[in-house]
């Protein structure tokens, strides 16, 4: 690892953070515009100078969905096939199960389908008869042996008391973890931009449903994507070059949604332009992708109990992150319980496991990123590994000499470098690839360090407010043109203002320039999101203290809450520069345009 020459820091360049009661609306002429409210005169000046102001959208913490029924299965013989012979279709009235074979419910095909899900990811690839015998044996053993000893001898078998207890404990742990995340990270679990349209998929943490929002028309789609198998959503990805196909990663695996606009379903679509979802209803159906079997995994029930919700425990199928190739040909999934990756050929429907990074949750996959040219893939794991894959033969090289795990990374648009950060560290690194694909010749370089400091946010005489910014870097995002890098900070440093996002100017060519005479990252400014609202003032203990407080705060502004960013990323299509999208912990989603045209806007 080598260190790269860095330019001045945010403090040395005199870049001040915005006021706590302000919100960032955009960047114009290399300057970020921060407004206190809608009546701020700066908004008019920003728009007159060519700036674009986008509205904020709001996702509540709790909501009651109307017109969307909880999916249930009405008969004991009906089940969902992982190979998509049965498809879950959702419309405006709810979710319906459509089977291709319903004329003969007692046929051999129906029996095979009813057991396919139960055998999926089983401990051993055995017949139903052996599993029934094992269940009967454990039920008999539990009557005279302690449950831990019986489970040690016979294993965890569905339908037994030990299995029910284990499932109940894991469901309670999962629900507690979800409530904790809802309090800290807000109601939004993840967001995904459509690669070709101004369409945003937003996953709601409390209800495990997905909302669709069209930014161009500022409208919400009336339908909601929801299914009983879609629990614990962790990631989403739209399939490129495939209309409206959305992959949702969750506890049960990958839920693949195919959405058909109403104009296509009714035959009224314009043949000369791509159909839009709009605010009307659409048709949608879901397929649960099958995983290659792994030994030592939990079984799944063959069907959903009638009239009751199901809490699925984590298994080898539990997905932590998803990524489509830019061609849309294959889908890669990382998992919560092991470090192996699963690669699907979307057209053929086949899955291939890549077993490299360990079989326990200590090596769980944290993030996956595919290079823009589809020739490389980077995965990070809980055991501290950063692995670079080439996608021609799927060979890989690993870096594991970091003090902690990699918290976030992002590819440059030329597929030659990867910027990343490490937990409990304020450094930004770059993985530079010096040779053409499929070569894995790469080097890790320290690019810059964000030095935490106390900065003044106001210049109003004695009303000098100072805010401490910086800390450990939590996540990064690079715009599609490779000119703006945004970083967020971890809440491990309680003294810092982690509600701020720091923005750098990017010059990735400097990573490959001999001598290190230019910096790849240069400080630009800060982004602050919409606040929680005004906080109530504390009552004074006496009239004398109230008088002193009034005298000392004649010019002081009302302090407001500052929610932290829970997710951020860039829109893949924004002609005027880059459009930063941020989901905040108070449920608001803000759009911050950064207007620029040239390849590299500022020189040293």
């Amino acid at each position: 690892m080598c260190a790269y020459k860095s330019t001045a820091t945010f403090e040395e360049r005199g870049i001040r953070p915005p006021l706590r009661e302000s919100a960032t609306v955009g960047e114009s002429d290399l300057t970020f515009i921060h407004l206190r409210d809608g009546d701020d005169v700066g908004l008019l000046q920003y728009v007159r100078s060519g700036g674009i102001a986008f509205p904020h959208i709001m996702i509540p913490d709790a909501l009651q969905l109307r017109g969307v029924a909880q999916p249930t299965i009405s008969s004991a013989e009906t089940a969902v096939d992982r190979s998509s012979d049965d498809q879950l279709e959702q419309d405006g009235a709810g979710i319906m199960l459509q089977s291709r074979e319903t004329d003969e419910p007692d046929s051999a095909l129906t029996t095979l389908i009813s057991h396919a899900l139960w055998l999926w990811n089983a401990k051993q690839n055995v017949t139903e008869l052996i599993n029934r015998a094992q269940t009967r044996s454990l039920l008999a053993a539990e009557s005279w042996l302690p449950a831990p000893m019986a489970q040690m001898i016979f294993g965890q078998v569905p339908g037994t008391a030990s299995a029910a207890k284990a499932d109940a404990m894991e469901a309670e742990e999962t629900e507690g973890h979800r409530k904790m995340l809802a309090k800290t990270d807000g109601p939004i679990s993840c967001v995904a931009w459509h690669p070709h349209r101004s369409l945003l998929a937003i996953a709601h943490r409390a209800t495990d449903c997905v909302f669709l929002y069209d930014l161009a028309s500022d409208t919400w789609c009336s339908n909601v994507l929801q299914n009983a198998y879609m629990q614990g959503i962790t990631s989403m990805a739209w399939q490129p070059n495939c209309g409206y196909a959305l992959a949702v990663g969750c506890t049960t695996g990958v839920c693949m949604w195919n959405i058909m606009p109403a104009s296509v379903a009714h035959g009224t679509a314009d043949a000369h332009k791509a159909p839009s979802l709009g605010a009307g209803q659409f048709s949608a159906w879901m397929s649960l992708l099958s995983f290659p079997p792994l030994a030592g995994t939990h079984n799944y029930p063959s069907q959903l109990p009638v009239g009751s919700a199901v809490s699925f425990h984590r298994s080898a199928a539990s997905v932590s992150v998803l990524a489509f190739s830019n061609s849309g040909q294959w889908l890669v999934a990382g998992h919560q319980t092991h470090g192996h990756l699963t690669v699907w050929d979307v057209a053929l429907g086949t899955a291939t496991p890549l077993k490299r990074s360990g079989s326990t949750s200590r090596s769980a996959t944290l993030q996956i990123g595919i290079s823009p040219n589809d020739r490389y893939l980077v995965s990070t794991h809980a055991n501290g590994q950063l692995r670079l894959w080439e996608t021609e033969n799927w060979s890989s090289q690993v870096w594991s000499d970091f003090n902690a795990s990699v918290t976030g990374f992002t590819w440059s648009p030329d597929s030659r470098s990867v910027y990343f950060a490490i937990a409990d560290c304020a450094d930004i690194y770059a993985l530079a690839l010096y040779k053409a694909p499929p070569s894995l010749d790469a080097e890790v370089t320290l690019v810059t360090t964000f030095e935490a400091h106390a900065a003044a946010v106001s210049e109003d005489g004695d009303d000098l407010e100072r805010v401490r910014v910086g800390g450990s870097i939590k996540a990064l995002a690079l715009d599609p043109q490779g000119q703006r890098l945004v970083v967020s900070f971890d809440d491990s440093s309680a003294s810092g203002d982690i509600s701020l996002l720091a923005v750098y100017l990017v010059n990735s060519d400097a990573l490959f320039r001999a001598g290190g005479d230019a910096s790849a990252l240069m400080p630009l400014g800060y982004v602050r999101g919409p606040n929680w609202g005004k906080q109530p003032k504390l009552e004074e203990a006496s009239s004398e203290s109230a008088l002193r407080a009034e005298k000392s705060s004649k010019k002081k502004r009302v302090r407001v809450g500052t929610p932290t960013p829970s997710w951020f990323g860039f829109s893949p299509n924004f002609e005027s520069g880059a459009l930063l999208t941020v989901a905040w912990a108070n449920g608001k989603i803000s759009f911050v345009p950064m207007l620029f045209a040239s390849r590299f806007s500022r020189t040293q």
Side-chain angles (χ1 to χ4, degrees):
M1 181 186 300
C2 63
Y4 203 77
K5 180 181 177 181
S6 178
T7 57
T9 64
F10 278 74
E11 183 179 17
E12 293 171 344
R13 284 180 173 262
I15 300 176
R16 299 177 181 270
L19 293 167
R20 292 182 182 271
E21 60 266 32
S22 64
T24 306
V25 294
E27 174 207 340
S28 179
D29 297 329
L30 303 177
T31 303
F32 283 95
I33 310 300
H34 313 286
L35 305 180
R36 301 184 190 180
D37 51 47
D39 298 328
D40 196 316
V41 295
L43 178 60
L44 181 60
Q45 297 174 355
Y46 169 71
V47 175
R48 285 180 175 177
S49 64
I52 306 173
F54 289 93
H56 295 151
I57 58 178
M58 183 71 185
I59 303 295
D61 290 323
L63 51 86
Q64 182 66 36
L65 299 179
R66 294 182 298 176
V68 179
Q70 187 67 19
T72 58
I73 295 182
S74 58
S75 64
E77 293 80 17
T78 308
V80 181
D81 180 22
R82 298 276 169 166
S83 61
S84 304
D85 285 330
D86 294 341
Q87 295 177 329
L88 294 175
E89 177 170 346
Q90 173 181 333
D91 60 4
I95 299 177
M96 301 180 297
L97 184 68
Q98 292 186 340
S99 299
R100 297 181 183 177
E101 297 291 336
T102 57
D103 296 334
E104 298 180 6
D106 296 329
S107 64
L109 179 60
T110 304
T111 303
L112 177 62
I113 291 175
S114 65
H115 291 89
L117 185 57
W118 186 76
L119 294 175
W120 181 66
N121 267 339
K123 288 183 179 181
Q124 299 174 355
N125 189 13
V126 295
T127 64
E128 182 184 4
L129 180 61
I130 296 177
N131 278 323
R132 286 180 178 178
Q134 189 180 14
T135 302
R136 289 196 298 268
S137 300
L138 185 53
L139 286 173
E142 284 186 342
S143 62
W144 57 275
L145 281 177
M149 184 176 297
Q151 184 176 351
M152 185 183 301
I153 298 173
F154 295 96
Q156 181 174 308
V157 180
T160 61
S162 59
K165 184 177 180 180
D167 289 348
M169 292 177 61
E170 186 155 6
E172 183 179 357
E173 179 184 355
T174 302
E175 182 63 22
H177 182 62
R178 181 181 299 182
K179 290 181 179 179
M180 180 191 68
L181 289 178
K183 292 180 180 179
T184 57
D185 291 340
I188 302 172
S189 56
C190 55
V191 179
W193 272 104
H194 193 283
H196 313 301
R197 308 187 71 87
S198 60
L199 186 65
L200 206 60
I202 305 168
H204 190 257
R205 193 184 306 277
T207 59
D208 281 326
C209 61
V210 177
F211 301 96
L212 301 180
Y213 173 76
D214 192 333
L215 180 61
S217 59
D218 190 20
T219 57
W220 292 90
C221 297
S222 58
N223 293 58
V224 176
L225 303 181
Q226 187 183 40
N227 189 271
Y229 287 95
M230 196 165 69
Q231 297 183 15
I233 298 176
T234 57
S235 58
M236 297 186 297
W238 291 94
Q239 183 178 0
N241 306 316
C242 192
Y244 300 99
L246 177 66
V248 181
C250 49
T251 303
T252 55
V254 179
C255 298
M256 192 69 193
W257 289 92
N258 290 274
I259 304 171
M260 181 181 296
S263 58
V264 176
H266 300 155
T268 59
D270 189 347
H272 300 287
K273 64 178 183 179
S276 175
L277 292 182
Q281 294 186 355
F282 54 77
S283 299
W285 60 95
M286 190 210 80
S287 302
L288 202 55
L289 299 185
S290 61
F291 285 78
L294 294 174
T297 60
H298 294 295
N299 294 328
Y300 275 88
S302 59
Q303 57 203 28
L304 291 176
V306 177
S308 63
V310 179
S311 295
F312 293 99
H313 48 67
R314 294 195 309 170
S315 71
S318 298
V319 173
S320 57
V321 64
L322 285 174
F324 269 107
S325 64
N326 294 278
S327 63
Q329 182 179 358
W330 34 274
L331 170 68
V332 183
H335 303 277
Q336 302 177 24
T337 55
H338 56 85
H340 307 322
L341 303 183
T342 304
V343 181
W344 278 277
D345 187 304
V346 180
L348 299 178
T350 57
T352 304
L354 302 177
K355 301 180 180 181
R356 296 290 189 279
S357 299
S359 301
T360 66
S361 58
R362 295 182 179 179
S363 56
T365 306
L366 303 179
Q367 192 175 356
I368 293 174
I370 302 174
S371 63
N373 62 4
D374 284 348
R375 303 298 301 274
Y376 292 103
L377 181 147
V378 168
S379 63
T380 61
H381 303 269
N383 57 6
Q385 290 186 357
L386 183 148
R387 188 174 291 272
L388 175 66
W389 304 78
E390 52 86 14
T391 59
E392 183 175 330
N393 301 307
W394 292 105
S395 59
S396 64
Q397 182 177 349
V398 64
W399 285 263
S400 58
D401 54 347
F402 306 118
N403 296 328
S405 60
V406 176
T407 58
F409 69 86
T410 179
W411 276 97
S412 64
D414 59 3
S415 302
R416 298 175 63 197
S417 57
V418 179
Y419 293 98
F420 66 94
I422 301 173
D424 303 324
C425 180
D427 297 330
I428 299 178
Y429 297 88
L431 180 67
L433 286 76
Y434 294 106
K435 295 183 180 180
S439 172
L440 294 174
D441 184 14
E443 183 180 17
V444 174
T445 301
L446 173 61
V447 180
T448 189
T449 300
F450 189 98
E451 298 182 1
H453 62 282
V457 298
S458 174
E459 299 178 352
D460 296 341
D462 58 349
D463 187 24
L464 186 63
E465 181 184 2
R466 299 185 71 85
V467 173
R468 184 169 181 80
V469 295
S472 302
I473 295 177
K474 182 179 181 180
L476 308 92
L478 183 65
D479 78 279
Q481 297 189 39
Q483 300 192 43
R484 300 292 186 272
L485 178 71
V486 180
V487 301
S488 64
F489 303 102
D490 197 359
D491 55 3
S492 59
S493 54
S495 60
D497 187 353
I498 60 173
S499 62
L500 291 171
L501 295 170
V503 184
Y504 288 91
L505 285 170
V506 182
N507 180 16
S508 296
D509 293 339
L511 296 174
F512 305 91
R513 190 175 302 160
D517 57 346
S519 175
L521 299 178
M522 290 179 287
L524 178 60
Y526 296 100
V527 172
R528 188 185 291 281
N531 54 60
W532 296 93
K534 296 182 179 180
Q535 296 177 343
K537 296 182 180 179
L538 299 176
E539 295 183 0
E540 300 293 343
S542 64
S543 59
E544 182 179 358
S545 59
L547 181 61
R548 289 199 304 267
E550 182 179 359
K551 290 181 179 180
S552 62
S553 60
K554 286 184 178 180
K555 295 183 180 181
K556 284 190 176 181
R557 305 177 181 88
V558 180
R559 297 299 296 270
V560 295
T562 51
T564 59
S566 58
W567 179 93
F568 61 94
F570 284 94
S571 168
N573 300 298
F574 189 70
E575 297 179 355
S576 301
L579 180 60
L580 176 66
T581 307
V582 188
W584 303 91
N586 60 354
K588 289 185 178 180
I589 297 179
S590 59
F591 304 93
V592 182
M594 303 178 184
L595 308 180
F596 55 83
S598 62
R599 170 65 184 85
F600 189 63
S601 301
R602 176 184 288 181
T603 58
Q604 262 189 299

